[in-house]
Amino acid sequence: MEFQKATIIRAADKDGVKMPRSEYVFHLSSYPAQQNLGFYEGYYPNTALEYNTHYHKKMTEIFTVLEGTFSFMLNGAATVFHRGDTAIIPPMSPHGFKPLEQGSRLQFIFTGAGNREDFFKSLESIAHGKLQLNPSEREAFFNSHDQYFF
């Protein structure tokens, strides 16, 4: 029998991005998980974020509220989530969320996600104006990362 070695990821070695209205820490990158799983944390210092309702064709997302309160748009209706509440969003399920309290935190788990780190890093560049995309390039960017807007 051959034993496997555990992977250790120190806090100082974790990557992430910072945008004007949110910050994300990549606790578990999709890279060591064969691009099948990602475990992130989002921090929202204010309530300016909007729903940005979207869907994924391949990816399942699991959200758990760590701190604060969020409104999730699920199944065509807004639902308030408090600390400890979880939403499991299968592929082809329109969804979006927004923080209702300053300093709210949300845990994200992605399955079947592919490379979400590059998505968030590119999104950071777009948010800070470092990457300029025309409307068709912007749509192609989101579609290439399995994210489709209405």
Side-chain angles (χ1 to χ4, degrees):
M1 176 181 348
E2 186 174 326
F3 290 106
Q4 299 290 319
K5 291 188 176 189
T7 300
I8 298 169
I9 306 168
R10 300 287 185 195
D13 297 329
K14 293 180 182 180
D15 202 357
V17 296
K18 186 173 183 175
M19 292 181 240
R21 297 180 182 158
S22 56
E23 298 176 27
Y24 298 90
V25 175
F26 307 152
H27 288 293
L28 173 63
S29 163
S30 63
Y31 294 116
Q34 292 81 44
Q35 296 193 2
N36 291 319
L37 177 71
F39 172 39
Y40 304 168
E41 181 179 334
Y43 171 71
Y44 306 90
N46 59 57
T47 58
L49 195 69
E50 292 300 323
Y51 285 113
N52 295 322
T53 305
H54 62 283
Y55 66 98
H56 308 280
K57 291 181 179 179
K58 301 173 188 170
M59 181 172 53
T60 295
E61 289 181 290
I62 303 166
F63 298 98
T64 298
V65 176
L66 300 176
E67 288 182 30
T69 307
F70 288 84
S71 177
F72 274 83
M73 185 60 65
L74 302 169
N75 306 319
T79 303
V80 175
F81 279 65
H82 301 279
R83 184 177 182 181
D85 291 343
T86 298
I88 301 170
I89 317 295
M92 301 304 293
S93 180
H95 62 283
F97 66 87
K98 66 179 184 177
L100 298 177
E101 294 180 42
Q102 294 180 350
S104 292
R105 289 181 30 230
L106 189 62
Q107 172 185 286
F108 297 74
I109 297 174
F110 303 103
T111 64
N115 183 341
R116 292 304 279 177
E117 290 78 32
D118 284 350
F119 169 75
F120 278 101
K121 288 177 181 180
S122 294
L123 199 57
E124 178 185 40
S125 293
I126 292 168
H128 289 293
K130 296 176 189 173
L131 178 60
Q132 302 283 326
L133 301 176
N134 66 39
S136 63
E137 291 171 330
R138 187 178 175 93
E139 182 177 358
F141 162 74
F142 282 107
N143 292 349
S144 71
H145 289 283
D146 190 32
Q147 186 146 322
Y148 305 86
F149 293 93
F150 294 89

